Amino acid sequence: MEYNTKGKVLKKAVVWRDLYFYRKSDAIYQLTVDFCHRFLPLYGDRTVDQMVQAARSGKQNIVEGSEDGQTSSEMEIKLLNVARGSLQELRSDYLDYLNTHHLSIWPANNERQQRLRVFCHSHNDFSDYEPLVAKMNDEEMANLLLTLCHQTDKMMCAYLEKLEHRFVTEGGIKERMHAARTGYRQEVDARLRALEAENLQLKARIKELEGLLGEIGKPRKV
C-alpha cells in the first residue's frame, strides 16, 4: 500500500548561480580585486585585505545561505544578512577611499551617475564590466562599485522580505516535518476508514447472498 503526503519537508533548491544579486556580488568581488590591485598598495595596507575579504564574504554567504536554505530557513536568512553586512562594509570602504583621496561621490542627480545606474541595473556579470574598467580612473570605478553595492543590497532586501514572509506562513523545517507527519497520519486514517466501510459493505453483501442461497435450498411445496 502506498501513501502520498502533500507536505514537503525540504524546500526546492535555489540555483544561486541564477540569482541576479549573486551575479552582481560576484562582479563586485572581481571588480574589487582589480580596484585594489590598480589603486591601492599591494603591501603594507590592511585596507586591501579588508576590502577583498568583505567582497568575498558578500558572495560566499549568498552561496552558503542558498545551499543551507533547503533545510534551514533561519540559517538562510541569517547568512544572507551576513552577506548584506559585508557589502555594506565594502561600501563604507569605497566611500572612505573617495573622501580621503578628495574625489567626488556622484550624487543621484549627476548625469554620469544616472547613466551608471541604468547600466548597472541591466548588467549583472563581471564580463559586462571587464571591457570598461580598464579605461576607468579610481573615482569612476569607486562610484561604479558603490552603485553595484547599493543595487545588490536593494535586491537582497526584497528577496529577504519574501523569505521572511514564507518563514512566517510556512515555518521552518520542524514545522514542515510536523505538517508532513500530520498529513501522512491523516491520509492513513482516511484510508483505514475507507477500508472499514468497504469491509462492512462486503459483510452485508455476503449475508444477503447467504440468505438467497438458503431460500434456494429449501424444498418447494407441491
Side-chain angles (χ1 to χ4, degrees), residues 95-159:
L95 289 170
D96 288 344
Y97 180 91
L98 290 169
N99 286 324
T100 56
H101 288 76
H102 309 290
L103 300 172
S104 297
I105 300 169
W106 299 349
N109 59 356
N110 181 283
E111 184 180 347
R112 288 182 299 177
Q113 173 60 27
Q114 290 174 348
R115 292 199 304 269
L116 189 61
R117 189 164 60 244
V118 171
F119 183 85
C120 291
H121 181 75
S122 56
H123 294 82
N124 302 303
D125 302 309
F126 174 68
S127 58
D128 298 324
Y129 301 93
E130 189 176 13
L132 307 175
V133 294
K135 305 172 185 178
M136 290 183 171
N137 59 33
D138 52 350
E139 178 182 309
E140 292 168 334
M141 198 166 176
N143 277 283
L144 164 66
L145 280 151
L146 282 173
T147 302
L148 279 171
C149 286
H150 176 70
Q151 290 186 354
T152 303
D153 185 69
K154 284 190 67 176
M155 295 171 76
M156 291 186 70
C157 284
Y159 188 78

Coordinates of all heavy atoms in Angstrom, one line a residue, residues 95-159:
L95 N 33.5 54.6 0.1 CA 33.3 56.0 0.5 C 34.5 56.6 1.2 O 34.9 57.8 0.9 CB 32.1 56.0 1.4 CG 30.7 55.8 0.8 CD1 29.6 55.6 1.9 CD2 30.3 56.9 -0.2
D96 N 35.1 55.8 2.0 CA 36.4 56.3 2.7 C 37.5 56.6 1.7 O 38.2 57.6 1.8 CB 36.9 55.3 3.7 CG 36.0 55.2 4.9 OD1 35.2 56.1 5.2 OD2 36.1 54.2 5.7
Y97 N 37.6 55.8 0.7 CA 38.6 56.0 -0.3 C 38.4 57.3 -1.1 O 39.3 58.1 -1.3 CB 38.6 54.8 -1.3 CG 39.7 55.0 -2.4 CD1 41.0 54.5 -2.3 CD2 39.4 55.7 -3.6 CE1 41.9 54.7 -3.2 CE2 40.3 55.9 -4.6 CZ 41.6 55.4 -4.4 OH 42.6 55.6 -5.4
L98 N 37.1 57.5 -1.5 CA 36.8 58.7 -2.2 C 37.0 60.0 -1.4 O 37.6 61.0 -1.8 CB 35.4 58.7 -2.7 CG 35.1 57.7 -3.9 CD1 33.6 57.5 -4.1 CD2 35.8 58.1 -5.2
N99 N 36.6 59.9 -0.1 CA 36.8 61.0 0.8 C 38.3 61.3 1.1 O 38.7 62.5 1.1 CB 36.0 60.8 2.1 CG 34.5 60.9 1.9 OD1 34.1 61.8 1.2 ND2 33.8 60.1 2.6
T100 N 39.0 60.3 1.4 CA 40.4 60.5 1.8 C 41.3 60.9 0.6 O 42.4 61.5 0.8 CB 41.0 59.2 2.5 OG1 40.9 58.1 1.6 CG2 40.3 58.9 3.8
H101 N 40.9 60.6 -0.6 CA 41.6 61.0 -1.8 C 41.0 62.2 -2.5 O 41.4 62.6 -3.6 CB 41.7 59.8 -2.8 CG 42.6 58.7 -2.4 ND1 42.2 57.8 -1.4 CD2 43.8 58.3 -2.8 CE1 43.1 56.9 -1.2 NE2 44.2 57.2 -2.0
H102 N 40.1 62.8 -1.8 CA 39.5 64.1 -2.2 C 38.8 64.0 -3.6 O 39.0 64.8 -4.5 CB 40.5 65.2 -2.2 CG 41.2 65.4 -0.9 ND1 40.6 65.8 0.2 CD2 42.5 65.1 -0.6 CE1 41.4 65.8 1.3 NE2 42.6 65.4 0.8
L103 N 38.1 62.8 -3.8 CA 37.4 62.6 -5.1 C 35.9 62.7 -4.9 O 35.4 62.7 -3.7 CB 37.8 61.1 -5.6 CG 39.3 60.9 -5.8 CD1 39.5 59.4 -6.1 CD2 39.8 61.7 -7.0
S104 N 35.2 62.8 -5.9 CA 33.8 63.1 -5.9 C 33.0 61.8 -5.7 O 33.2 60.8 -6.3 CB 33.3 63.8 -7.1 OG 33.9 65.0 -7.3
I105 N 32.0 61.9 -4.8 CA 30.9 60.9 -4.7 C 29.7 61.4 -5.5 O 29.1 62.4 -5.1 CB 30.5 60.7 -3.2 CG1 31.7 60.2 -2.4 CG2 29.4 59.7 -3.1 CD1 31.4 60.3 -0.9
W106 N 29.5 60.7 -6.6 CA 28.5 61.3 -7.5 C 27.1 61.2 -6.9 O 26.6 60.2 -6.5 CB 28.5 60.4 -8.8 CG 29.8 60.5 -9.5 CD1 30.9 61.3 -9.3 CD2 30.2 59.6 -10.6 NE1 31.9 61.1 -10.1 CE2 31.5 60.0 -11.0 CE3 29.6 58.6 -11.3 CZ2 32.3 59.4 -12.0 CZ3 30.3 58.0 -12.4 CH2 31.6 58.4 -12.7
P107 N 26.4 62.4 -6.9 CA 25.0 62.4 -6.4 C 24.0 61.8 -7.3 O 24.4 61.6 -8.5 CB 24.8 63.9 -6.2 CG 25.7 64.6 -7.2 CD 26.9 63.7 -7.3
A108 N 22.8 61.6 -6.8 CA 21.8 60.9 -7.7 C 21.5 61.7 -8.9 O 21.1 61.1 -9.9 CB 20.6 60.6 -6.8
N109 N 21.5 63.0 -8.8 CA 21.1 63.9 -10.0 C 22.3 64.1 -10.9 O 22.2 64.8 -11.9 CB 20.6 65.2 -9.5 CG 21.6 66.0 -8.7 OD1 22.7 65.5 -8.4 ND2 21.2 67.2 -8.3
N110 N 23.5 63.5 -10.7 CA 24.6 63.7 -11.5 C 24.4 62.9 -12.8 O 23.9 61.7 -12.8 CB 25.9 63.1 -10.8 CG 27.1 63.3 -11.7 OD1 27.3 62.5 -12.6 ND2 27.9 64.3 -11.4
E111 N 24.6 63.5 -14.0 CA 24.4 62.8 -15.2 C 25.1 61.5 -15.4 O 24.6 60.5 -15.9 CB 24.7 63.7 -16.4 CG 24.3 63.2 -17.8 CD 24.7 64.1 -18.9 OE1 24.9 65.3 -18.6 OE2 24.6 63.7 -20.1
R112 N 26.4 61.5 -15.0 CA 27.2 60.3 -15.1 C 26.6 59.2 -14.2 O 26.6 58.0 -14.5 CB 28.6 60.6 -14.7 CG 29.4 61.4 -15.8 CD 30.8 61.6 -15.4 NE 31.0 62.3 -14.1 CZ 32.1 62.5 -13.5 NH1 33.3 62.1 -14.1 NH2 32.2 63.2 -12.4
Q113 N 26.2 59.6 -13.0 CA 25.6 58.7 -12.0 C 24.3 58.1 -12.5 O 24.0 56.9 -12.4 CB 25.4 59.3 -10.7 CG 24.6 58.5 -9.6 CD 25.4 57.2 -9.3 OE1 26.6 57.1 -9.4 NE2 24.7 56.2 -8.9
Q114 N 23.5 58.9 -13.2 CA 22.3 58.4 -13.8 C 22.5 57.3 -14.9 O 21.9 56.3 -14.9 CB 21.4 59.5 -14.3 CG 20.9 60.4 -13.2 CD 20.2 61.7 -13.8 OE1 20.3 62.0 -15.0 NE2 19.5 62.4 -12.9
R115 N 23.5 57.6 -15.7 CA 23.8 56.6 -16.8 C 24.4 55.4 -16.2 O 24.1 54.2 -16.6 CB 24.8 57.2 -17.8 CG 24.3 58.4 -18.6 CD 25.2 58.6 -19.9 NE 26.6 58.8 -19.5 CZ 27.1 60.0 -19.3 NH1 26.3 61.1 -19.4 NH2 28.4 60.2 -19.0
L116 N 25.2 55.5 -15.1 CA 25.8 54.4 -14.5 C 24.7 53.5 -13.8 O 24.8 52.3 -13.9 CB 26.8 54.9 -13.4 CG 27.7 53.9 -12.7 CD1 28.6 53.2 -13.7 CD2 28.5 54.6 -11.6
R117 N 23.8 54.2 -13.2 CA 22.7 53.4 -12.5 C 21.9 52.6 -13.5 O 21.5 51.4 -13.2 CB 21.8 54.4 -11.7 CG 20.8 53.7 -10.8 CD 20.2 54.7 -9.8 NE 19.5 55.8 -10.4 CZ 19.9 57.1 -10.4 NH1 20.9 57.4 -9.7 NH2 19.2 58.0 -11.0
V118 N 21.6 53.2 -14.7 CA 20.8 52.5 -15.7 C 21.6 51.3 -16.2 O 21.1 50.2 -16.4 CB 20.5 53.4 -16.8 CG1 19.9 52.6 -18.0 CG2 19.5 54.5 -16.4
F119 N 22.9 51.5 -16.5 CA 23.8 50.4 -17.0 C 23.9 49.3 -16.0 O 23.7 48.1 -16.3 CB 25.2 50.9 -17.3 CG 26.1 49.9 -17.9 CD1 26.0 49.7 -19.3 CD2 26.9 49.2 -17.1 CE1 26.9 48.7 -19.9 CE2 27.8 48.2 -17.7 CZ 27.7 48.0 -19.1
C120 N 24.1 49.6 -14.7 CA 24.3 48.6 -13.7 C 23.0 47.8 -13.4 O 23.0 46.6 -13.1 CB 24.7 49.2 -12.3 SG 26.4 49.8 -12.4
H121 N 21.9 48.5 -13.6 CA 20.6 47.8 -13.4 C 20.3 46.7 -14.3 O 19.8 45.7 -14.0 CB 19.4 48.9 -13.5 CG 18.1 48.3 -13.3 ND1 17.6 48.0 -12.0 CD2 17.1 48.0 -14.2 CE1 16.4 47.5 -12.1 NE2 16.0 47.5 -13.4
S122 N 20.8 46.8 -15.6 CA 20.6 45.8 -16.6 C 21.8 44.9 -16.9 O 21.7 44.1 -17.8 CB 20.1 46.5 -17.9 OG 21.0 47.4 -18.3
H123 N 22.9 45.1 -16.1 CA 24.1 44.2 -16.3 C 24.5 43.6 -15.0 O 24.7 44.4 -14.0 CB 25.2 45.0 -16.9 CG 24.9 45.5 -18.3 ND1 24.1 46.6 -18.6 CD2 25.2 45.0 -19.5 CE1 24.0 46.8 -19.9 NE2 24.7 45.8 -20.5
N124 N 24.6 42.3 -15.0 CA 24.8 41.6 -13.7 C 26.2 40.9 -13.6 O 26.6 40.6 -12.5 CB 23.7 40.6 -13.5 CG 22.4 41.2 -13.5 OD1 22.1 42.1 -12.7 ND2 21.5 40.7 -14.3
D125 N 26.8 40.7 -14.7 CA 28.0 39.8 -14.7 C 29.3 40.6 -14.9 O 29.3 41.7 -15.5 CB 27.9 38.8 -15.8 CG 26.7 37.9 -15.6 OD1 26.5 37.4 -14.5 OD2 25.9 37.8 -16.6
F126 N 30.4 40.1 -14.3 CA 31.7 40.7 -14.4 C 32.1 40.9 -15.9 O 32.7 42.0 -16.2 CB 32.8 39.9 -13.7 CG 34.2 40.4 -13.9 CD1 34.6 41.6 -13.3 CD2 35.1 39.6 -14.7 CE1 35.9 42.0 -13.5 CE2 36.4 40.1 -14.8 CZ 36.8 41.3 -14.2
S127 N 31.7 40.0 -16.7 CA 32.1 40.1 -18.2 C 31.5 41.4 -18.8 O 32.0 41.9 -19.8 CB 31.6 38.9 -18.9 OG 30.2 38.7 -18.8
D128 N 30.4 41.9 -18.2 CA 29.7 43.1 -18.7 C 30.6 44.3 -18.4 O 30.6 45.3 -19.2 CB 28.4 43.3 -18.1 CG 27.4 42.2 -18.5 OD1 27.5 41.7 -19.6 OD2 26.6 41.8 -17.6
Y129 N 31.4 44.3 -17.3 CA 32.1 45.4 -16.9 C 33.6 45.4 -17.2 O 34.3 46.4 -17.3 CB 32.0 45.6 -15.4 CG 30.6 45.7 -14.9 CD1 29.8 44.6 -14.5 CD2 30.0 47.0 -14.9 CE1 28.5 44.8 -14.2 CE2 28.7 47.2 -14.5 CZ 27.9 46.1 -14.1 OH 26.6 46.2 -13.7
E130 N 34.1 44.2 -17.5 CA 35.5 43.9 -17.7 C 36.1 44.8 -18.8 O 37.2 45.4 -18.6 CB 35.8 42.5 -18.0 CG 37.3 42.1 -18.0 CD 37.5 40.6 -18.1 OE1 36.5 39.9 -18.5 OE2 38.6 40.2 -17.9
P131 N 35.4 44.9 -20.0 CA 36.0 45.8 -21.0 C 36.0 47.3 -20.7 O 36.8 48.0 -21.3 CB 35.0 45.5 -22.2 CG 34.3 44.3 -21.9 CD 34.1 44.3 -20.4
L132 N 35.2 47.7 -19.7 CA 35.1 49.1 -19.4 C 36.1 49.6 -18.3 O 36.6 50.7 -18.4 CB 33.7 49.4 -18.9 CG 32.5 49.0 -19.8 CD1 31.2 49.3 -19.1 CD2 32.6 49.7 -21.2
V133 N 36.3 48.7 -17.3 CA 37.1 49.2 -16.2 C 38.5 49.6 -16.5 O 39.1 50.4 -15.8 CB 37.0 48.2 -15.0 CG1 35.6 48.0 -14.5 CG2 37.6 46.8 -15.5
A134 N 39.1 49.0 -17.5 CA 40.5 49.3 -17.9 C 40.6 50.8 -18.2 O 41.7 51.4 -18.1 CB 41.0 48.4 -19.0
K135 N 39.5 51.4 -18.7 CA 39.6 52.8 -19.1 C 39.1 53.7 -18.0 O 39.2 54.9 -18.1 CB 38.6 53.0 -20.3 CG 38.9 52.1 -21.5 CD 37.8 52.2 -22.5 CE 38.0 51.2 -23.7 NZ 36.9 51.3 -24.7
M136 N 38.7 53.2 -16.8 CA 38.2 54.0 -15.7 C 39.3 54.4 -14.8 O 40.3 53.7 -14.5 CB 37.2 53.2 -14.9 CG 35.9 53.0 -15.6 SD 34.7 52.1 -14.5 CE 33.2 52.2 -15.5
N137 N 39.2 55.6 -14.3 CA 40.1 56.0 -13.2 C 39.5 55.6 -11.9 O 38.4 55.0 -11.8 CB 40.4 57.5 -13.2 CG 39.1 58.3 -13.1 OD1 38.1 57.9 -12.4 ND2 39.1 59.5 -13.8
D138 N 40.2 55.9 -10.8 CA 39.7 55.4 -9.5 C 38.4 56.0 -9.0 O 37.6 55.3 -8.4 CB 40.8 55.6 -8.4 CG 41.3 57.0 -8.3 OD1 41.0 57.8 -9.2 OD2 42.1 57.4 -7.4
E139 N 38.2 57.3 -9.4 CA 36.9 57.9 -9.0 C 35.7 57.2 -9.7 O 34.7 56.9 -9.1 CB 36.9 59.4 -9.3 CG 35.6 60.1 -9.0 CD 35.6 61.6 -9.4 OE1 36.6 62.3 -9.0 OE2 34.7 62.0 -10.1
E140 N 35.9 57.0 -11.0 CA 34.8 56.3 -11.8 C 34.6 54.9 -11.3 O 33.4 54.5 -11.1 CB 35.2 56.3 -13.3 CG 35.3 57.7 -13.9 CD 35.9 57.7 -15.2 OE1 36.8 56.9 -15.5 OE2 35.6 58.7 -16.0
M141 N 35.7 54.2 -11.0 CA 35.5 52.8 -10.6 C 34.9 52.7 -9.2 O 34.0 51.8 -9.0 CB 36.8 52.1 -10.7 CG 36.7 50.6 -10.7 SD 38.2 49.8 -11.2 CE 37.8 48.1 -11.0
A142 N 35.3 53.6 -8.3 CA 34.7 53.5 -7.0 C 33.2 53.9 -7.0 O 32.4 53.2 -6.3 CB 35.5 54.5 -6.1
N143 N 32.8 54.8 -7.8 CA 31.4 55.1 -7.9 C 30.6 54.0 -8.6 O 29.5 53.8 -8.3 CB 31.2 56.5 -8.7 CG 31.4 57.7 -7.8 OD1 30.5 58.0 -7.0 ND2 32.6 58.3 -7.9
L144 N 31.3 53.3 -9.5 CA 30.6 52.1 -10.1 C 30.4 51.1 -9.1 O 29.2 50.6 -9.0 CB 31.6 51.6 -11.2 CG 31.3 50.1 -11.7 CD1 29.9 50.1 -12.4 CD2 32.4 49.6 -12.6
L145 N 31.3 50.8 -8.2 CA 31.2 49.8 -7.2 C 30.2 50.2 -6.1 O 29.4 49.4 -5.6 CB 32.5 49.4 -6.6 CG 33.3 48.5 -7.6 CD1 34.8 48.6 -7.5 CD2 32.8 47.0 -7.3
L146 N 30.1 51.5 -5.8 CA 29.1 52.0 -4.9 C 27.7 51.7 -5.4 O 26.8 51.3 -4.7 CB 29.3 53.5 -4.6 CG 30.4 53.9 -3.7 CD1 30.6 55.4 -3.6 CD2 30.2 53.4 -2.2
T147 N 27.5 52.0 -6.7 CA 26.2 51.8 -7.4 C 25.9 50.3 -7.4 O 24.7 49.9 -7.0 CB 26.3 52.3 -8.8 OG1 26.6 53.7 -8.8 CG2 24.9 52.1 -9.5
L148 N 26.8 49.4 -7.7 CA 26.6 48.0 -7.7 C 26.2 47.5 -6.3 O 25.3 46.7 -6.1 CB 27.8 47.2 -8.2 CG 27.9 47.2 -9.8 CD1 29.3 46.6 -10.2 CD2 26.8 46.4 -10.4
C149 N 27.0 47.9 -5.3 CA 26.7 47.5 -3.9 C 25.3 48.0 -3.5 O 24.6 47.2 -2.8 CB 27.7 48.1 -3.0 SG 29.4 47.3 -3.0
H150 N 24.9 49.2 -3.8 CA 23.6 49.7 -3.5 C 22.5 48.9 -4.1 O 21.5 48.5 -3.5 CB 23.5 51.2 -3.9 CG 22.2 51.8 -3.6 ND1 21.7 52.0 -2.3 CD2 21.2 52.2 -4.5 CE1 20.5 52.5 -2.4 NE2 20.1 52.6 -3.7
Q151 N 22.6 48.6 -5.4 CA 21.6 47.9 -6.2 C 21.5 46.4 -5.7 O 20.4 45.9 -5.5 CB 21.9 47.9 -7.7 CG 21.7 49.3 -8.3 CD 21.8 49.3 -9.8 OE1 22.2 48.3 -10.4 NE2 21.5 50.4 -10.4
T152 N 22.7 45.8 -5.4 CA 22.7 44.4 -4.9 C 22.0 44.4 -3.5 O 21.2 43.5 -3.2 CB 24.1 43.9 -4.7 OG1 24.7 44.0 -6.0 CG2 24.1 42.5 -4.3
D153 N 22.2 45.4 -2.7 CA 21.6 45.4 -1.3 C 20.1 45.5 -1.5 O 19.3 44.9 -0.8 CB 22.2 46.6 -0.5 CG 21.6 46.6 0.9 OD1 22.0 45.7 1.7 OD2 20.8 47.5 1.2
K154 N 19.6 46.4 -2.4 CA 18.2 46.5 -2.6 C 17.5 45.2 -3.0 O 16.4 44.9 -2.6 CB 17.9 47.7 -3.6 CG 18.1 49.1 -3.1 CD 17.6 50.1 -4.0 CE 16.1 50.1 -4.1 NZ 15.5 51.1 -5.0
M155 N 18.2 44.5 -4.0 CA 17.6 43.3 -4.4 C 17.6 42.2 -3.3 O 16.6 41.5 -3.2 CB 18.5 42.8 -5.6 CG 18.4 43.7 -6.8 SD 19.7 43.2 -8.1 CE 18.9 41.8 -8.8
M156 N 18.6 42.2 -2.5 CA 18.7 41.3 -1.4 C 17.6 41.6 -0.4 O 17.0 40.7 0.2 CB 20.1 41.3 -0.8 CG 21.1 40.7 -1.7 SD 22.7 40.5 -0.8 CE 22.4 39.2 0.3
C157 N 17.4 42.8 -0.1 CA 16.3 43.2 0.8 C 14.9 42.7 0.4 O 14.2 42.2 1.2 CB 16.3 44.7 1.0 SG 17.6 45.4 2.0
A158 N 14.7 42.9 -0.9 CA 13.4 42.4 -1.5 C 13.3 40.9 -1.4 O 12.2 40.3 -1.0 CB 13.2 42.8 -2.9
Y159 N 14.4 40.2 -1.6 CA 14.4 38.7 -1.5 C 14.2 38.2 -0.1 O 13.5 37.3 0.2 CB 15.8 38.2 -2.1 CG 15.9 36.7 -2.3 CD1 15.3 36.1 -3.3 CD2 16.6 36.0 -1.4 CE1 15.4 34.7 -3.5 CE2 16.7 34.6 -1.5 CZ 16.1 34.0 -2.6 OH 16.3 32.6 -2.7

